[in-house]
Amino acid sequence: MKRIGMAVWAVWLALPVAAQGETLYVSNERGDSVSVVDTLSGQVTATWAVGGRPRGITLSKDGRYIYLCASADHAVQVIDRATGRLVAELPSGQDPEQFFLSRDGATLFVANEDDAALTAIDLASRTVAFQVDVGGEPEGVAQSPDGQWVAVTSEEDGVVNWIDVAKRQMVAETPTDQRPRHVEFTADGAQLWVAAEIGGTVQIIDTKSHAVRETIRFAIPGVAAHRILPCGIRFTPDGKTAIVALGRADHVALVDVATRIVRAYVPVGKRVWHVAVSGDGTKAYAANGLSDSVSVIDLASAQVVATIAVGAAPWGIVAAP
């Protein structure tokens, strides 16, 4: 009996492990829709009609809802993930573009492009908790891992605004290269990475001093420098690689976080806006705004392994288990 048991165990170990899929939710800016994509089949399984000019998109802490910036409708929409049904519209302020779900999942920090403000929405009561004036045309938003800071980019003023969450006020600003569009904190909270679109750079800010410490520049053979327009940034779960969407360069850069060296440039679709990373850190997904597609990137080989057609002008993207 012991030998039979061991034999069965050996056969089980030899069987291929079932592939694990994820679901992508892609906001289509000109399509006024969200595409729901099954990564295992590479197919769009549903298309949800949503508010006007959808851009920022994220998942609730419990995974039940999709939060979506409906910029033209001046609202953040709450969508039931299982059904695609609109559950609520949150008071977001004027022209919400990007947002960040607080680390505890209780607050949504929204950048209001037309208002030059940050709106904090209490999700339990679905009311505005507070607003803070920031620089002109705010877009990128991120909260530090310890919850102390919310960083907001100002495209017009070329700065990152630092909001003290406890004080509910802006206490500092950091000048950056032109048109900062997106921000991401490293997992340890020591650094803030800023994508400066017109500057063509990613700048690294020390969280304690609020000073720029390093600047990463990009050079792609055969691509004019003025087409390199950094936008979305995401880190792999292990924190070792930064995936940077380079806009009209039609490439994604894979940057080694420790050395700041670009490991590879991956050609994707046209006008790549934002990226998402798979839960296991093996793949990245790029939303290609002028190709109406999502590129699936194998990070180990730095190659596109699939291209998935979605709606008109995909802008934001989030991956969920």
Side-chain angles (χ1 to χ4, degrees):
M1 292 296 292
K2 184 177 180 181
R3 288 184 178 179
I4 293 173
M6 291 183 68
V8 171
W9 178 251
V11 170
W12 184 85
L13 286 176
L15 292 173
V17 177
Q20 297 296 309
E22 293 177 297
T23 303
L24 304 179
Y25 299 90
V26 185
S27 60
N28 302 306
E29 185 178 11
R30 289 202 301 272
D32 295 345
S33 66
V34 167
S35 296
V36 182
V37 179
D38 172 54
T39 61
L40 206 55
S41 66
Q43 299 295 316
V44 173
T45 59
T47 300
W48 301 336
V50 296
R53 202 181 181 193
R55 290 188 282 180
I57 187 168
T58 196
L59 190 69
S60 66
K61 197 77 169 178
D62 61 7
R64 291 181 60 192
Y65 303 112
I66 294 294
Y67 298 127
L68 178 73
C69 285
S71 300
D73 292 350
H74 310 299
V76 168
Q77 296 188 319
V78 182
I79 300 168
D80 185 280
R81 184 180 164 199
T83 65
R85 182 177 63 87
L86 178 64
V87 174
E89 290 194 341
L90 305 178
S92 66
Q94 292 292 300
D95 194 11
E97 186 164 356
Q98 287 201 59
F99 47 29
F100 192 91
L101 181 65
S102 65
R103 300 291 177 171
D104 61 6
T107 307
L108 202 60
F109 298 107
V110 185
N112 302 124
E113 189 171 32
D114 288 353
D115 277 356
L118 175 89
T119 299
I121 303 171
D122 179 85
L123 293 174
S125 64
R126 296 178 179 170
T127 60
V128 173
F130 63 92
Q131 279 190 316
V132 179
D133 291 336
V134 294
E137 293 188 58
E139 179 170 344
V141 187
Q143 186 182 28
S144 59
D146 64 5
Q148 179 181 4
W149 301 106
V150 169
V152 185
T153 66
S154 166
E155 297 179 61
E156 183 180 300
D157 297 348
V159 299
V160 169
N161 304 275
W162 294 86
I163 295 168
D164 186 308
V165 176
K167 295 179 180 177
R168 297 186 173 185
Q169 63 184 29
M170 187 174 70
V171 297
E173 63 180 29
T174 303
T176 65
D177 286 342
Q178 285 182 278
R179 200 173 173 84
R181 294 206 68 153
H182 189 83
V183 283
E184 287 287 322
F185 282 96
T186 52
D188 62 6
Q191 301 168 359
L192 181 71
W193 287 45
V194 184
E197 184 181 34
I198 302 302
T201 62
V202 167
Q203 296 190 290
I204 300 171
I205 298 175
D206 175 74
T207 305
K208 288 184 178 179
S209 66
H210 298 162
V212 174
R213 295 303 187 195
E214 296 182 66
T215 297
I216 300 171
R217 305 183 189 281
F218 305 94
I220 307 172
V223 177
H226 71 267
R227 296 186 65 84
I228 298 175
L229 303 170
C231 190
I233 303 173
R234 287 286 186 263
F235 295 109
T236 51
D238 61 11
K240 293 181 178 179
T241 302
I243 299 100
V244 184
L246 296 178
R248 292 185 184 275
D250 305 338
H251 281 70
V252 164
L254 306 184
V255 182
D256 183 86
V257 172
T259 64
R260 322 293 196 232
I261 294 172
V262 178
R263 175 168 70 84
Y265 292 106
V266 183
V268 290
K270 294 181 179 179
R271 205 348 165 172
V272 53
W273 276 111
H274 287 279
V275 292
V277 183
S278 64
D280 63 7
T282 63
K283 292 183 175 61
Y285 308 103
N288 307 312
L290 294 180
S291 295
D292 298 344
S293 68
V294 168
S295 297
V296 182
I297 303 165
D298 177 76
L299 293 176
S301 63
Q303 298 288 327
V304 170
V305 294
T307 300
I308 303 167
V310 290
W315 195 93
I317 184 168
V318 63

